Amino acid sequence: MSTPHVPLSILDLVSVSEGQSMREAIGSSMELAQAADRLGYERYWYAEHHNSAALGSSATALLIDRAASLTRDIRVGSGGIMLPNHAPLAVAEQFGTLVQFHGDRIDLGLGRAPGTDPITSQLLARSSAEPDAFMESVDQIQRWTGEPSPRMRVRAGVAEGTNVPMWVLGSTVNGATLAGRLGLPFSIASHFAPTQVLPALERYRAEFNPEAGTAQISEPRVMVAANVALGDTDEEGLRQFTTLQRMFAGVVTGERLALQPPEDPEELAARLPEEVLLHLETMLSVSAVGSPQTVVEQLESLIDQTDADELILTAYAFDPAHRVKTLELLAPAWGLTPRG
């Protein structure tokens, strides 16, 4: 029996390639969002990150607005808004405004991590990352984006009645527990934190409470993240994957650079220290790499392991044109229906 082909979505951090300006990187991101819309991908999410010259996804709501303005059918949202960096009222007002602009195409994914280093986190901090505080913030946002109550002393007029669909993002059993207790869909960051994927998904499904006051769905819904690197052949896919490997090697060593060109995989393996290679093997273990057929088989295996309802993919490539090609290669191989 073949594995059902669940919807595919795209996660974008607005990566900057060596020699590319930030303006050009943002423009490339918008072109990729348009390609994803045209090719039939489900949603296009931006992940909030700060204090990085190699990533442009800091002002998440602004990127969502721009991408939604340039597309027609694809859902656009946050993967996610890092809630400790924001006042819940501001989040409600921003995403309520996005719904006023774009209708029912906006998603609000929320995470508890700061999306940056400790010093930058202190500069951004607006609310607590503690579990109880996070759950209270989610409840507040829902109340401000729901129907107004006479008991509300503070109202978010632009957000009232928008009922923005919300997701909880996480990489651990703790995050999965919160998502389940809130009765919200859960997106797991397996593309860089794969070690707790199966226990976290098991906990989420066990803890899922459709009767919670914050619940927006009646049964568990899971989105699993994966990295993809495609080429016309397996060899070209493996070569393209070295760009992502070099990026994560910089994370491990602290030598963060803009995206670098792909290179021969054997030459990269020979140049990197063994301990870095071991880190990469673990961190990037949830990746599908190769020709379209090979990537499809690997993604099908991931669905079999996780029982995912949806996959969200990162598609790093040094050449922006190859990022678009990656989506173009995968879409027909997966059976996505192009949009007119």
Side-chain angles (χ1 to χ4, degrees), residues 34-35 41 51 83 115 127 152 211 216 261 275 280 302 320 327:
Q34 291 175 304
Y41 289 84
N51 193 24
L83 198 47
S127 58
M152 296 175 68
E211 304 301 323
Q216 291 188 335
E275 62 272 19
L280 295 184
L302 179 61
L327 270 58

Side-chain angles (χ1 to χ4, degrees), residues 263-284:
E263 62 177 285
D264 181 88
E266 293 185 359
E267 293 180 4
L268 177 63
R271 193 174 74 251
L272 292 177
E274 184 176 355
E275 62 272 19
V276 174
L277 289 172
L278 291 173
H279 273 292
L280 295 184
E281 185 177 353
T282 298
M283 294 173 70
L284 300 177

Side-chain angles (χ1 to χ4, degrees), residues 48 81-85 110-116 121 129 134 169 171 192:
E48 179 184 347
I81 290 291
M82 299 296 104
L83 198 47
N85 302 338
L110 295 167
R112 288 196 302 138
T116 189
S121 176
F134 178 83
L169 281 60
S171 60
F192 70 88

Side-chain angles (χ1 to χ4, degrees), residues 107-161:
D107 297 324
L108 173 54
L110 295 167
R112 288 196 302 138
T116 189
D117 58 273
I119 294 175
T120 309
S121 176
Q122 290 180 2
L123 295 173
L124 291 166
R126 292 295 180 272
S127 58
S128 173
E130 292 301 314
D132 288 345
F134 178 83
M135 295 178 74
E136 173 60 24
S137 293
V138 169
D139 182 64
Q140 289 177 329
I141 294 171
Q142 285 195 342
R143 281 188 271 121
W144 278 314
T145 57
E147 299 303 323
S149 164
R151 297 190 300 272
M152 296 175 68
R153 296 181 60 189
V154 176
R155 293 175 58 173
V158 72
E160 289 175 358

Side-chain angles (χ1 to χ4, degrees), residues 18 78 103 184:
E18 186 71 38
S78 59
L184 294 175

